[in-house]
Amino acid sequence: MKILVVGAGATGGYFGALLARAGRDVTFLVRPRRAAALRERGLRLTGAGEDEVLTPRLITADEITEPYDLVLLSVKSTALEQAVEDLAPAVGPDTAIVPLLNGIRHLDVLNARFGKEPVLGGVAKVITTLNDEGDIVRLAPLAVLALGEQDGGASARTEEIRAVLAGAGIDASVSPDILASMWHKWVFITTLSTVTCLLRGEVGDVNAVPGGSGIGPAVLAEGAAVSAAAGFPVPESEQALTASLVTQTPSTFASSMYRDVVSGFPTEVEHIFGDLTARARALSVPTPLLDLATLHLRVHQHRVGAKR
């Protein structure tokens, strides 16, 4: 199976590295600047576990000459439209695209560009980040990936992809309802990001002050209501787990979006928050806390943009 990993960041780079290390036929589609850095330093894994340096096979958009069997799409939502155009020559009649972005909007973008048939749903769970040198830092040895047909159920291609991923040490599974899985992760991410970004602290900081422990469950209730109205109710067991995580004291738990905010970096506010609150309005679901977090993050985005 010829695999193209679009993006070599904290998520795509990590999954791609695991596949390459297992001897899979993997190529990374990257921008010229990232390609130059990877050719100079290699694709480096550090943090939890042993440090590793891989020499990845790299390609830029203008060098694609043939279709791939599997495309793993893992880019920031702000780079989605350009990435879609870049990878287009790699999509043939038998190509499967597994996007690993959070939220839902990217499915609309991919379906509009390639049609619904080649596009699968995907949910990735890793705890990684990039350091200043562009190395992938493993914060925990987690590598979970669920995929599935947009219309639900398993298929021969999803099982084949799962087997390839599992053979590389990835905890891969085929979800019977991948859209529900994507929605449920979306609710979790917006809950955690609202708690930490809106109140500017790690989970433990928020819950250590009077009134702080009520914010997480309140935001979760809003997100779960939107998901239910969209036809994807979050199971009580998942809601209970999320509520437990966002009300812990002490806790250093925080969202990656919070780390971006405190570092003065851009965020995926429109893809993660703007789209969810827009869908909430379309479904007539009130989301005052999510609306406030969206406004807060938009102001941050405006300030970051003004400095660039």
Side-chain angles (χ1 to χ4, degrees):
M1 180 180 289
K2 287 175 58 64
I3 304 170
L4 183 68
V5 178
V6 183
T11 300
Y14 186 46
F15 282 121
L18 295 179
L19 287 162
R21 188 176 64 185
R24 300 295 185 260
D25 184 353
V26 179
T27 301
F28 290 86
L29 173 61
V30 291
R31 307 297 292 170
R33 184 175 178 181
R34 180 63 167 156
L38 289 171
R39 289 189 176 108
E40 178 182 348
R41 290 179 52 80
L43 181 61
R44 294 172 178 257
L45 303 180
T46 187
E50 295 183 4
D51 289 356
E52 299 179 64
V53 181
L54 297 140
T55 303
R57 184 183 302 129
L58 306 174
I59 196 170
T60 54
D62 60 336
E63 296 172 328
I64 300 175
T65 59
E66 59 184 350
Y68 287 75
D69 301 310
L70 171 64
V71 175
L72 293 180
L73 175 60
S74 179
V75 296
K76 290 286 189 181
S77 62
T78 50
L80 175 62
E81 277 74 11
Q82 184 60 57
V84 167
E85 292 307 311
D86 289 347
L87 71 86
V91 179
D94 299 317
T95 302
I97 305 170
V98 179
L100 302 180
L101 290 78
N102 294 315
I104 293 290
R105 190 184 73 85
H106 55 279
L107 291 184
D108 298 333
V109 174
L110 291 165
N111 290 344
R113 180 64 177 81
F114 301 111
K116 190 175 180 181
E117 174 59 26
V119 183
L120 302 174
V123 173
K125 296 180 182 179
V126 294
I127 306 178
T128 55
T129 187
L130 291 184
N131 62 20
D132 292 340
E133 289 74 38
D135 303 334
I136 299 170
V137 181
R138 294 168 297 203
L139 304 177
L142 181 70
V144 177
L145 197 159
L147 67 145
E149 300 286 351
Q150 290 188 58
D151 292 334
S155 64
R157 66 173 178 173
T158 57
E159 177 54 34
E160 182 182 6
I161 294 168
R162 185 210 64 77
V164 169
L165 297 171
I170 297 168
D171 183 0
S173 62
V174 176
S175 171
D177 190 348
I178 194 63
L179 293 184
S181 299
M182 293 171 69
W183 266 94
H184 299 167
K185 186 184 178 186
W186 197 8
V187 171
F188 170 76
I189 287 172
T190 50
T191 299
L192 178 61
S193 295
T194 296
V195 170
T196 54
C197 294
L198 189 59
L199 299 181
R200 289 298 187 96
E202 296 172 345
V203 166
D205 299 321
V206 174
N207 293 307
V209 302
S213 61
I215 186 74
V219 178
L220 172 59
E222 290 185 5
V226 180
S227 189
F232 305 99
V234 183
E236 289 295 331
S237 58
E238 289 192 33
Q239 292 193 52
L241 178 59
T242 299
S244 174
L245 289 172
V246 297
T247 54
Q248 288 181 357
T249 302
S251 173
T252 58
F253 200 37
S255 66
S256 59
M257 189 173 287
Y258 168 74
R259 292 194 290 268
D260 288 339
V261 168
V262 298
S263 298
F265 297 154
T267 70
E268 296 182 290
V269 54
E270 296 304 332
H271 191 84
I272 303 298
F273 277 88
D275 189 39
L276 183 65
T277 53
R279 292 173 191 263
R281 287 191 294 273
L283 294 166
S284 300
V285 178
T287 53
L289 290 171
L290 288 168
D291 292 344
L292 184 59
T294 304
L295 180 60
H296 173 78
L297 288 164
R298 282 174 171 161
V299 171
H300 167 79
Q301 196 79 357
H302 171 76
R303 289 173 60 86
V304 170
K307 294 177 181 178
R308 290 175 173 258

